[in-house]
Amino acid sequence: MHVTFQSGWGRAAFALFLGASVLLAACGGGGGGGSEAVTPPKPVPPAVTAQPASLSVPAGSSATFAVTATGDAPLAYQWLRNGAEIAGSTQASYTVGAVAMADTGSRFSVRVSNAAGSVSSAEAALTVTPAPIPNGISLAAGIMDRKGALDGVGSAALFNNPNALAFDASGVLYVNDDGNRTIRRVTRDGTVSTIAGTAGLASSTEANEALATIKTVPGSDGGLYLGVFGRFVSAAGVVTQIALPTTPYLSHFSAAPDGTFYGASSTAVYRIDLSTQPSTAVLIAGLPGNMGTTDGRGADVRFFDIGRILADGAGNIYVSEPRMHMIRKIAPDGTVTTLAGQANVQGIVDGKGAAARLSYPVNMALDAAGTLWVADTGSGRFRRISPAGDVTTPFGIDRSLFPAYEVPMAFGPEGDLYFSAGYGVQRVNAAGVVSTFVGQDGPAPAANAITNIGGLAVDPAGNIVVARVDSQAAFQLGKYSPNGERLAFQVSVPTPSFNIITPLDVFYATVGADAQGNLWVANPTTVGLGSINTVAAVGGTVNRVAPDGTVTSLLSWGVGSAGAIAPAFPAIGRDNMLYFVDLMTNNLMRWNPVTGLAVLANLGPSEPTFFLTPWFIAADAAGQVYVIKNAVLQRVDKGALVTVAGMNVPGDQRSVDGTGTQARFSRASAMVADTAGNLYVADYHLIRKVTPAGVVTTVAGQRGSVGLRLGALPGSLGELGAMSIGPDGVLHVMSGSALVNIRF
């Protein structure tokens, strides 16, 4: 149809007509056609428009994850942790309160739902970093007055005389736990773990020397006396404690065939009366605390660090003095004479009496004819000494099989000599032929090795008794028949708790960690000279300990090797160089794998090892080297030592702040340098700061207050030990057996 509008009225009429038509259609009227339904809009399902973000937060704080989602209301939320629903977490955000290090690595996501469906977000990771170390003194791990070998977190962990600390580039701290013979790792949150070594298991030559004082001497009734532990084990294996006198301190013992028991300190020999309780000691020769080499009778005699004593069946007592390279004899009437060797003259010369030369003779044994045999540890040979003092060398033994100190030895009833110098027991016949009796012969342990042998003896039946210490520090006795068959006899003797302090304590030292977490460990090889605090340095090693505990030898100077060096008191400078003192020359040395060894300065005349006091070394990032000893802090300047602060005043052990020689140090136990060139010295129970200009101030701890008090500085500290400084400038120091942090 075509409509033409002629006027305005016409257009209005048409509009009215059209409106009426629409109204009729809406009411169902009209020309009888069908109706059409209106489709409602579709519901909108949820969609995540902003995913939860991964978070990194310090321990102890909270972490909030949030999500943004769209879709028709109402929206429902359900948060999940590591794929599992978290009860009650039904909001658009979820907060983890007071996160702990154990929460790190957790994954959080959320499921959003409505009537139209659901959708899951991406996972967000939670990383927990250690809480910031607060200013002042705070505990990292351990307990100040408790020792042990426990791994754990904070005060649940225990240390045993750790003597060195070192950081790697990531801030992980490594501890050389000397008393446990282990390397420990301490993370920022105070988690302590053992990465190398086994607590209580001596695994080095020097560690085995600590076992060298363990001796077995056969008793007349078939029992065995256990040297320093003061125990008697009967032939049936019954253990009895001997009530040894508390003074003088006795460390060497021998039982004569008639049952008479003898003991010795480092300078005197006694007859022990076991019938009294406590047992009494009667002086035979020598004088406690007085060293010398004078022959004579009774208290007029002087001994110089007795190594061993051995009583024969005629009432004679033989005394070895390793440091003096001689053998002394005490006759039944108490007269002391020098049987072989000359005082302080070392050598390998056969001859009579003073014309003979010995080299660190220690252990002794008597054959059936009454001839004395000596393990000459310095020469690696057995020496034979007649009753008249004639010294001969019947046969040599490969020096590599001799340990640095202890060579347990005993004669069997058939006349063969039994000795231990490796991981078993060897037998030498009259022709000098050496064969393995039990265990293994050689420098490294294998499947049949017998470790930590500290004594040999022969019982009245001719069986060979082997005394050793196991990994739990218990003393084990086992017996073998003359043909090497293991017998059923086995006795375990718990060892008493005691501490023996020797200069070796300062030698075992973890000295630093590189960016990969490898540690550098340096220590000397020492020869024990017969008694406590008497050792000589004869070589050494520098080892690397990987993060997984693998040990690699970087440098090694064997006993007697050309140009041997005995590294002690090592330290890693901020320049990543290794510094140490060579005990054989008293030179201050620097080493790294690229430039090798360099002599920086001589620290003066060497001192007797038993009087040895430690050097502590620190180097700044520029390679400026400092050393402190005997209360004097010095700087190495073109090979010379220049005093920076302190003064060695005999009898004056004060801690005094001041500049240069006006300052005083009491008892330094560690030293480190910071990035600004300042030095920090652990001085008994104080932390002292020394500026490059030599100004000394006390920055932690208080004079006259000994004990651990945490919190704001100056606080209070116990006796301080090893110390290191972290990448963040925080000092970490051993206060007793506790590892503490100090932030200034």
Side-chain angles (χ1 to χ4, degrees):
M1 176 182 70
H2 179 73
V3 180
T4 302
F5 294 99
Q6 300 294 327
S7 65
W9 181 93
R11 290 192 295 270
F14 180 78
L16 179 62
F17 166 78
L18 180 63
S21 299
V22 171
L23 180 61
L24 289 172
C27 294
S35 62
E36 295 181 3
V38 178
T39 302
K42 292 183 178 181
V44 179
V48 174
T49 57
Q51 301 283 353
S54 294
L55 299 176
S56 178
V57 297
S61 60
S62 62
T64 299
F65 297 93
V67 67
T68 301
T70 60
D72 285 352
L75 293 176
Y77 299 89
Q78 176 60 60
W79 285 89
L80 299 92
R81 177 172 182 164
N82 297 328
E85 294 184 357
I86 305 172
S89 56
T90 57
Q91 301 300 318
S93 65
Y94 173 69
T95 299
V96 185
V99 299
M101 292 299 297
D103 295 322
T104 195
S106 295
R107 306 178 314 278
F108 293 85
S109 62
V110 63
R111 187 172 59 244
V112 187
S113 307
N114 66 7
S118 65
V119 65
S120 294
S121 73
E123 288 187 321
L126 173 62
T127 301
V128 182
T129 60
I133 296 175
N135 290 341
I137 303 172
S138 57
L139 177 71
I143 301 174
M144 192 182 85
D145 55 357
R146 281 191 61 190
K147 296 180 180 180
L150 293 179
D151 290 342
V153 180
S155 59
L158 294 177
F159 301 96
N160 187 2
N161 291 330
N163 64 1
L165 309 177
F167 278 95
D168 66 13
S170 67
V172 174
L173 179 67
Y174 296 88
V175 179
N176 187 63
D177 202 2
D178 181 53
N180 288 321
R181 298 288 189 259
T182 55
I183 302 293
R184 318 283 292 279
R185 178 193 285 124
V186 185
T187 59
R188 281 281 307 276
D189 68 323
T191 299
V192 180
S193 57
T194 301
I195 67 167
T198 302
L201 177 62
S203 58
S204 68
T205 299
E206 291 81 8
N208 284 332
E209 287 176 16
L211 306 177
T213 55
I214 300 168
K215 294 167 290 293
T216 56
V217 290
S220 59
D221 55 359
L224 296 165
Y225 293 99
L226 307 185
V228 72
F229 296 131
R231 310 288 177 88
F232 178 80
V233 181
S234 72
V238 178
V239 180
T240 303
Q241 176 71 46
I242 298 173
L244 293 174
T246 56
T247 55
Y249 179 80
L250 305 180
S251 57
H252 313 295
F253 300 90
S254 182
D258 64 359
T260 305
F261 198 51
Y262 299 94
S265 65
S266 61
T267 60
V269 179
Y270 300 83
R271 182 182 297 107
I272 309 298
D273 184 356
L274 300 178
S275 65
T276 62
Q277 294 293 319
S279 307
T280 56
V282 179
L283 180 69
I284 297 174
L287 193 63
N290 287 261
M291 289 185 173
T293 59
T294 306
D295 289 340
R297 292 190 64 179
D300 294 331
V301 174
R302 295 292 180 268
F303 294 105
F304 198 98
D305 280 316
I306 293 171
R308 294 290 182 269
I309 60 173
L310 180 63
D312 68 10
N316 300 299
I317 304 171
Y318 299 94
V319 180
S320 67
E321 293 179 83
R323 295 186 61 201
M324 289 293 102
H325 313 293
M326 62 183 185
I327 301 295
R328 314 279 289 281
K329 179 180 179 181
I330 306 175
D333 66 353
T335 301
V336 177
T337 57
T338 300
L339 182 64
Q342 185 174 341
N344 207 26
V345 180
Q346 182 182 5
I348 313 171
V349 179
D350 290 346
K352 185 178 180 65
R357 296 290 180 266
L358 305 174
S359 180
Y360 296 110
V362 184
N363 263 351
M364 301 172 289
L366 288 163
D367 64 16
T371 301
L372 185 69
W373 291 65
V374 177
D376 208 24
T377 58
S379 67
R381 294 172 170 84
F382 288 112
R383 315 294 294 279
R384 184 169 55 197
I385 307 176
S386 73
D390 292 303
V391 179
T392 56
T393 305
F395 43 78
I397 298 295
D398 184 356
R399 180 63 181 90
S400 66
L401 293 183
F402 264 36
Y405 178 38
E406 180 77 357
V407 184
M409 53 191 295
F411 275 96
E414 76 283 23
D416 289 348
L417 174 62
Y418 295 82
F419 73 96
S420 177
Y423 293 90
V425 179
Q426 286 72 51
R427 177 166 52 197
V428 188
N429 64 18
V433 177
V434 182
S435 60
T436 298
F437 175 65
V438 293
Q440 173 204 333
D441 187 4
N448 61 338
I450 302 175
T451 58
N452 298 336
I453 295 177
L456 296 177
V458 178
D459 71 11
N463 299 307
I464 309 303
V465 182
V466 178
R468 57 178 297 273
V469 172
D470 66 13
S471 61
Q472 304 303 315
F475 196 63
Q476 303 287 346
L477 294 178
K479 284 188 180 183
Y480 297 83
S481 69
N483 63 5
E485 178 187 0
R486 179 67 184 264
L487 303 179
F489 179 91
Q490 181 168 331
V491 176
S492 179
V493 183
T495 59
S497 175
F498 66 100
N499 291 316
I500 298 177
I501 305 302
T502 79
L504 294 177
D505 291 339
V506 297
F507 294 162
Y508 300 87
T510 304
V511 296
D514 60 22
Q516 290 74 43
N518 297 304
L519 310 179
W520 289 358
V521 181
N523 61 273
T525 299
T526 57
V527 173
L529 302 180
S531 67
I532 298 172
N533 287 349
T534 57
V535 295
V538 291
T541 58
V542 176
N543 295 313
R544 181 176 59 215
V545 181
D548 64 357
T550 303
V551 180
T552 304
S553 178
L554 302 179
L555 296 173
S556 180
W557 299 276
V559 177
S561 62
I565 289 175
F569 316 121
I572 286 287
R574 298 199 73 89
D575 56 358
N576 283 322
M577 298 282 191
L578 171 64
Y579 295 87
F580 59 84
V581 177
D582 174 17
L583 289 182
M584 301 185 74
T585 61
N586 233 30
N587 286 332
L588 177 63
M589 311 292 291
R590 180 176 60 205
W591 177 83
N592 76 10
V594 177
T595 61
L597 281 167
V599 178
L600 302 183
N602 186 270
L603 301 177
S606 299
E607 55 187 313
T609 309
F610 57 97
F611 289 135
L612 192 63
T613 52
W615 289 94
F616 298 100
I617 308 168
D620 61 23
Q624 180 63 64
V625 183
Y626 298 86
V627 294
I628 187 170
K629 181 182 182 182
N630 292 333
V632 180
L633 174 61
Q634 297 176 296
R635 180 180 66 246
V636 179
D637 187 6
K638 297 178 181 179
L641 297 176
V642 178
T643 297
V644 175
M647 180 180 292
N648 184 12
V649 180
D652 185 357
Q653 292 187 324
R654 297 176 297 156
S655 295
V656 179
D657 291 345
T659 301
T661 56
Q662 296 175 347
R664 295 286 187 275
F665 297 97
S666 173
R667 189 166 60 195
S669 58
M671 179 170 63
V672 295
D674 67 11
T675 55
N678 300 301
L679 299 172
Y680 292 90
V681 179
D683 190 21
Y684 187 30
H685 59 283
L686 306 174
I687 299 293
R688 319 288 298 285
K689 179 181 178 181
V690 186
T691 69
V695 179
V696 180
T697 55
T698 300
V699 293
Q702 299 184 66
R703 294 173 180 83
S705 177
V706 180
L708 188 57
R709 186 169 73 248
L710 306 178
L713 293 173
S716 181
L717 297 166
E719 186 169 355
L720 301 178
M723 180 169 61
S724 189
I725 190 166
D728 54 1
V730 175
L731 281 181
H732 300 256
V733 62
M734 295 304 305
S735 176
S737 293
L739 175 63
V740 298
N741 311 315
I742 304 177
R743 182 187 286 275
F744 301 107

